[in-house]
Every structure is written in structure tokens, then in C-alpha cells.
Amino acid sequence: MENLIALLVAAPLLGAAVLLCGGRRLDKAGHWLGTVLAAASFVVGVVLFADMLGKGAEDRALHQHLFSWIPVEGFQADIAFQLDQLSMTFVLLITGVGTLIHIYSIGYMEHDERRRRFFGYLNLFLAAMLILVIADNYLLLYVGWEGVGLASYLLIGFWQHKPSAATAAKKAFLVNRVGDMGLSIAIMLMFTTFGTFAFGPVLEATGETSEGTLTAIGLMLLLAACGKSAQVPLQSWLGDAMEGPTPVSALIHAATMVTAGVYLLVRSGAIFNGAPDAQLVVVIVGAVTLIFGAIVGCAKDDIKKALAGSTMSQIGYMILAAGLGPIGYIFAIMHLVTHGFFKAGLFLGAGSVMHGMNDEVDMRKYGGLRKYMPVTFVTFGLGYLAIIGFPGLSGFFSKDKIIEAAFAKGGTEGWILGSVALLGAAITAFYMTRVMLMTFFGEKRWQPTASDSGSAAGEGHEPHPHESPKSMTVPMIVLAVGSVFAGGFFAIGDRFVNWLEPVTGYDHGHSPLSAATVTGATVVALIAGVGIAWAMYGRRPVPVLAPRGSLLTRAARRDLLQDDFNHVVLVRGGEHLTRSLVYVDHSLVDGVVNGTAASVGGLSGRLRKLQNGYARSYAVSMFGGAAVVIAATLLMRAV
């Protein structure tokens, strides 16, 4: 079975190569080829999963060594894959949800003349993400990490004729490069400390390494995770990434790119277990981001950007859980998987709404769409209930476990983290209910849109909402099923805990509150959030134009001023730093260099006068020298 691991990557990688290099002759069938190869990778994953289930918990890890990448004395880098319970979880999620998004894209991108290239980029994204999660060493993981960054840049900026899309792609690429520096530094520290990049030797040797070294490595890994998973302070790219086609939003924000940071932290758990300071920073970043993203989601009228804020917040839950150590590792991954189902379904549902509304994204111009798009309404609604943690659905089982784990941290820290997680649950219920009410309930608020000829708004044609084709609704139905049942399936008999414990370890912790108490508090938070949203958006008409709102609302509409902060601190700060360095270069460095040259030139000019070629000058010099010698001799005798 080990020989099949490479096929996981080979199938989508072959699809990317053929679709991107095959030319226009593949335009009519390229989307089918890309989808079939993505599905083939999923089938291989299922076969490997079935084989893994037939083995004991301690014997499930598989390894495949393809070749030595860089074999030199003292430096060994291999192209080798590792498939254990953790990486298998990601393989099934990436290929399964990825295949559904491919199928959805067949209908969504039907009229795009560059559809073949789009599917090539999707295949490239899957291949890079699979390399990331099945690599058996950090250096190969870095290859997949950078491949995901490249593919995301291509997909976010796919409609590059739009300046906003091109700008969003560049922004995502540059912000992620900051995080990538963290990963590269961490890998260099690993090699200088352990002499290897491989997961096994590195993680096994952490017990013999100083806490300071582990803290440095852990903080650099966290910086990398902040970039890929859009966590504070590197979160600014995520909302702008909505400029890409909606299937890209579902692929990036649900099961793949944004979860890479969570995978990195959990895979490196042994490093963080030995570095409590780094672990504390991870927890703080997760807690801050889950509230930050939730607040941003409350103020967005763009349906995709509201869901982007939600993604930021939900990944914050996962990062918080990963920072709790063995208490939370498993539940971080459990919520990651359930989130992959309901968030992909929500994004595809948003795309379906846009498909029926002439690509309109402003929820203030929706209203009453449940009558016109019943399948989209039901599937989106189930995803909504799952993400807010409605009892019995997937989010209820995974997010509640994270809240329990936060309280189980113990002490003042546990109370603070648990309270923050509960507050996040209430805000989640509020902004997702707001999305649901503004989109599917109330009276219709859509207006005639501008025609393709560029006429002013109101002179175009009025949207006629309608249900999407089956190629779009079937993936939405499948994801809705996962949104309903996945969490309960994992929770029964601690099935998911037993699956991952051999890889991540598990600690129950000591919670001051019972599980029933935490569940009750979570349900109360949910009801409060839903009730406030209903009072604000269900009982009163939704204005087509957004009211001015409070200072916090206006700030949240601008992503809590994250771009303003970056501009003032980083852009303006960088400009001032550059000017200062230029001044130092001109005044100090160039001054020293030019001054030295001038001094040598001046001295040379004066010395040159001693060699002027005139005999009389030389005679005077000889006479003067002789006089000095005679005077010195007489003086010495007199003394």
C-alpha cells in the first residue's frame, strides 16, 4: 500500500500539467479531466484509509521514500511521504471536498472562456496541499506550503482583468510571504539544532533541547501559521481574497489553505509541548482572532466577506485549541473537519445565490430568496445551523469540545479562554443569523442592475432568482449531509479521539465545569445571538442602504482598520525607515568613503609637488636636507 501514496499527488499534478500545457485543444474537455483526476486522488485516499482501518492503532503509519532530493555530506533532504492518522484525515478532507468543488465549478464556470486554465489551477492547488500534509519532513512540507501560496495567488487573481482581483492576489501573496519567512527560519533552526528536517527525529529530540530553542522555533512556526490561516496580525488578505471565483473561496477557506496553519501547529505539537511560552502566544493569537473575525463578520453586507470573517473566527477557535496542547489538539482537528463541510457548503451556497442574482453580493439587495431557491435555502440553512452550534449538528459537537477544552486548561487562564470562546459562540450566532435573515427572509429588495453596456444602475435588467443547476446543487447537498452528521459520527464512542490519539496524544484536563454546564452555557449564548439578530433584522425591514452605524460598526466595515494599521505602521513605517537608511547611506557611509578618497587625493596632490621635474627644486631640497642633517649633528654634539 505504501506505493499508492505518491498517486495521491500524482493524479492532480498530472491534471495541472496537462491542462496548463495542453493548449486550447483541451478547452471542451479540460474541466472533466481535472474533475476526474481530483476524484481519482480521493479514491486512492479511500483505499489507503480502508487499509489503515484494518491495522492496529500503533501500526497505521505508512512511509514511501521516492528519492534523495539533496544528498550531500551532512545534509540529507528526501522526497518522502508519511501517511498516518493525522495526514489521512487531511487527505480525505482535501480530496473529498476538493472533488465536490471541482464538480460545482463545472456549472459555475460554464461560460468562462478560461475554464480549462481554472481547473488546471484547482488541480495544482490540490497537488500542493497534498504534498504539504503527507510530507515526512519540514523541507518537503515547505515545498507544498509555497505551492499552495502560488496556486492561491493564481486562483484569487483568476479574473485578473479586474483591478480589485489583481490587487487582492498580490496582497495575499505578499502577506503570506511574511509568514513564509517564519517557516523558513524555523526550518533553519531545526537543522542547526537537530541536524535533520524529518518529523520523527526532530519531534523525538525535543525532550533533550533547551526551552529557549524550542520557543524560538515555535514562535516562527506560529508566524507561518498566522500567514496561511489568516490570524492576527497577518489576517488582512482573507477578505480581499473574495475577489476570486466563489469555488476558490470555498476551496481556500474551507478545507485547504486556511487549515494548513492548524495542521502545522498540531503536527509540531511536541515542540510546543516543550515551549509553554510559545504555546501561550498561540492561545492568545487564537482567542484574539476568533473575536476579531466575528466582529468583522457582523458588519459586512457582502455575503462572501461576511463568510470570510466567519472563517477567520472559526480558524481562531482551532488555533486556540491547538495552543491548549494535548487537551485541545484533537478537537482543533475535529472542528477543522466539520468546518470543512459546513463552510464549504456555505460558500457554495453563497455562489448559488450569486448565480441566481446576476452576481450581486450585497445582502441588502436580496431578501425572500427561500421561495425562489429552495435547495440552496435548505442546504445553506443546514450549514448555518451547524456553524452556530445548533444541538445535534456538526458544529455543536466540535466547537463545544473546544470550549470545554478551554475551561479544562484550569486556573484563571482557563476561565478567561472559556469565556472568550463562549462570547465568540454568541457573536457567531448573531452574524450568521443576520446573513440568513438578510438573504432568505423578509421582502425582496433586489433592484435592476446595470446592463453589460455600462449604463447606470436602474437602467439594466432586474434579477430573476432561480435555482442553480444540479452540477452545483448536488455538491451542496452532499456537504449539507456532512454538516448535519459528521460531528455526531465523530463524537459517538469518542471515535475521533481514539483515531488521532496515537499521533497527537490526548489529555482530559481538569475542567471546573461539567460538560453539561458548558453545553448549557453554549446553548444560552447561541439563543442570545440568534435573538438579538432576529430583533434587529427579522422584526424590522432591512434598509437597502446601510445606515451609518456606531463607531464600532464603521470600523468593522473597514475590517477593524487592519489595512489602515498596516498602511501606517508597515507602509509608512517602511517609507520612513527607507528614507532614514538612504540618509545614513548618503551622509555616513558615502561620507566616509568620499572623505577617505578626498583625503588620499589631497595628500597625493601635495606629495606630487615634490616630484615636479625641475633640477633647481631638487637642488634646493638637497640643500635643505643637508642643512637639517648638519644642524641636527651639531645640536647632538652640543648636548
Side-chain angles (χ1 to χ4, degrees):
M1 283 294 175
E2 291 87 349
N3 296 330
L4 294 179
I5 299 177
L7 292 178
L8 290 169
V9 178
L13 194 59
L14 174 64
V18 171
L19 292 175
L20 296 177
C21 301
R24 294 188 175 278
R25 71 192 74 180
L26 294 174
D27 282 355
K28 293 184 178 180
H31 52 288
W32 292 111
L33 177 63
T35 303
V36 167
L37 289 174
S41 183
F42 174 66
V43 170
V44 173
V46 171
V47 171
L48 290 168
F49 175 62
D51 177 72
M52 190 176 285
L53 288 177
K55 300 178 180 179
E58 303 298 332
D59 302 319
R60 286 174 170 167
L62 300 174
H63 291 82
Q64 183 181 16
H65 181 276
L66 294 183
F67 58 90
S68 293
W69 179 15
I70 310 175
V72 296
E73 185 177 356
F75 187 96
Q76 181 73 29
D78 296 326
I79 302 296
F81 299 131
Q82 170 181 298
L83 196 64
D84 56 16
Q85 291 94 315
L86 178 59
S87 52
M88 175 56 75
T89 302
F90 277 84
V91 165
L92 294 177
L93 183 64
I94 293 166
T95 57
V97 175
T99 299
L100 292 174
I101 292 172
H102 274 71
I103 296 171
Y104 178 94
S105 300
I106 293 174
Y108 191 88
M109 302 294 291
E110 181 179 2
H111 301 294
D112 196 298
E113 61 182 14
R114 300 169 65 235
R115 181 166 61 167
R116 168 186 55 82
R117 180 171 298 188
F118 180 79
F119 277 81
Y121 292 159
L122 288 182
N123 274 200
L124 178 63
F125 192 101
L126 287 189
M129 192 67 198
L130 287 168
I131 290 174
L132 192 159
V133 299
I134 66 175
D136 86 330
N137 62 83
Y138 283 98
L139 193 60
L140 185 57
L141 179 149
Y142 187 76
V143 173
W145 192 272
E146 291 301 310
V148 168
L150 170 62
S152 65
Y153 166 78
L154 296 171
L155 287 167
I156 293 170
F158 183 76
W159 286 329
Q160 57 199 17
H161 59 277
K162 298 166 53 180
S164 57
T167 301
K170 288 188 290 185
K171 184 177 182 180
F173 190 82
L174 292 174
V175 172
N176 273 274
R177 296 294 71 74
V178 178
D180 295 351
M181 285 296 296
L183 182 55
S184 63
I185 293 172
I187 292 173
M188 287 184 252
L189 288 173
M190 289 176 192
F191 185 76
T192 56
T193 303
F194 307 109
T196 180
F197 309 107
F199 291 145
V202 168
L203 300 179
E204 290 171 4
T206 53
E208 304 169 1
T209 308
S210 69
E211 183 178 319
T213 300
L214 294 179
T215 299
I217 295 174
L219 290 177
M220 291 299 100
L221 292 175
L222 173 61
L223 180 61
C226 286
K228 274 290 184 288
S229 296
Q231 300 293 284
V232 172
L234 300 179
Q235 79 287 3
S236 62
W237 65 271
L238 193 67
D240 293 312
M242 298 299 98
E243 291 292 338
T246 299
V248 174
S249 303
L251 188 66
I252 290 177
H253 295 174
T256 52
M257 181 173 174
V258 292
T259 63
V262 182
Y263 170 79
L264 180 66
L265 297 183
V266 174
R267 175 61 77 186
S268 307
I271 294 174
F272 289 95
N273 293 341
D277 291 338
Q279 211 168 46
L280 176 61
V281 178
V282 173
V283 168
I284 293 172
V285 167
V288 169
T289 308
L290 78 87
I291 298 297
F292 186 103
I295 293 175
V296 169
C298 290
K300 293 296 184 181
D301 292 329
D302 183 319
I303 187 171
K304 290 173 66 177
K305 290 190 175 183
L307 294 178
S310 169
T311 296
M312 193 186 306
S313 178
Q314 297 305 306
I315 299 294
Y317 272 107
M318 302 171 206
I319 297 292
L320 185 153
L324 297 174
I327 301 175
Y329 288 144
I330 292 175
F331 302 125
I333 302 301
M334 182 176 174
H335 192 52
L336 184 152
V337 176
T338 59
H339 177 264
F341 284 109
F342 54 70
K343 183 52 64 66
L346 289 169
F347 268 112
L348 296 188
S352 179
V353 170
M354 292 167 58
H355 178 80
M357 290 292 293
N358 296 342
D359 290 328
E360 178 62 67
V361 296
D362 189 346
M363 293 185 293
R364 293 186 179 276
K365 298 177 182 178
Y366 292 165
L369 292 181
R370 69 185 188 280
K371 304 174 185 176
Y372 305 91
M373 310 178 72
V375 176
T376 300
F377 167 65
V378 172
T379 55
F380 193 98
L382 291 173
Y384 151 73
L385 293 175
I387 195 173
I388 68 173
F390 189 84
L393 274 70
S394 290
F396 170 79
F397 294 99
S398 58
K399 190 161 62 178
D400 277 23
K401 286 294 185 182
I402 293 178
I403 298 173
E404 289 179 27
F407 280 111
K409 184 68 175 178
T412 304
E413 183 181 345
W415 280 102
I416 293 174
L417 294 176
S419 300
V420 169
L422 277 175
L423 176 61
I427 302 176
T428 300
F430 171 81
Y431 69 73
M432 285 307 305
T433 303
R434 174 179 180 269
V435 170
M436 197 72 187
L437 293 173
M438 291 178 70
T439 302
F440 294 102
F441 291 87
E443 299 298 324
K444 73 171 188 175
R445 298 182 299 277
W446 57 82
Q447 302 172 346
T449 57
S451 65
D452 294 337
S453 61
S455 60
E459 298 178 7
H461 58 281
E462 182 174 311
H464 295 284
H466 56 277
E467 193 56 86
S468 299
K470 289 186 178 180
S471 62
M472 296 172 64
T473 56
V474 169
M476 291 159 55
I477 293 171
V478 174
L479 291 170
V481 172
S483 301
V484 173
F485 297 109
F489 177 78
F490 294 152
I492 295 175
D494 288 332
R495 185 178 279 121
F496 203 77
V497 171
N498 296 333
W499 168 254
L500 282 184
E501 184 177 4
V503 179
T504 63
Y506 179 55
D507 182 2
H508 288 277
H510 304 284
S511 176
L513 302 176
S514 66
T517 301
V518 174
T519 298
T522 306
V523 172
V524 170
L526 182 156
I527 294 173
V530 172
I532 295 173
W534 172 256
M536 294 179 63
Y537 297 96
R539 297 184 59 187
R540 62 184 70 169
V542 176
V544 175
L545 297 178
R548 179 175 173 81
S550 65
L551 180 62
L552 178 60
T553 300
R554 296 197 300 273
R557 287 174 185 155
R558 297 179 60 181
D559 301 322
L560 291 180
L561 308 181
Q562 56 185 336
D563 285 332
D564 301 81
F565 176 84
N566 290 341
H567 185 75
V568 171
V569 175
L570 300 179
V571 178
R572 290 286 181 84
E575 290 175 353
H576 290 305
L577 176 62
T578 301
R579 292 194 187 101
S580 300
L581 293 175
V582 170
Y583 176 78
V584 170
D585 180 60
H586 288 170
S587 303
L588 182 61
V589 178
D590 288 353
V592 171
V593 173
N594 295 334
T596 302
S599 299
V600 172
L603 180 62
S604 300
R606 288 171 175 78
L607 292 175
R608 188 169 60 248
K609 293 179 179 180
L610 300 176
Q611 301 291 333
N612 55 18
Y614 294 111
R616 60 180 180 272
S617 298
Y618 299 155
V620 171
S621 298
M622 292 171 63
F623 176 78
V628 170
V629 171
I630 292 171
T633 302
L634 294 175
L635 181 62
M636 291 178 64
R637 285 183 178 182
V639 174

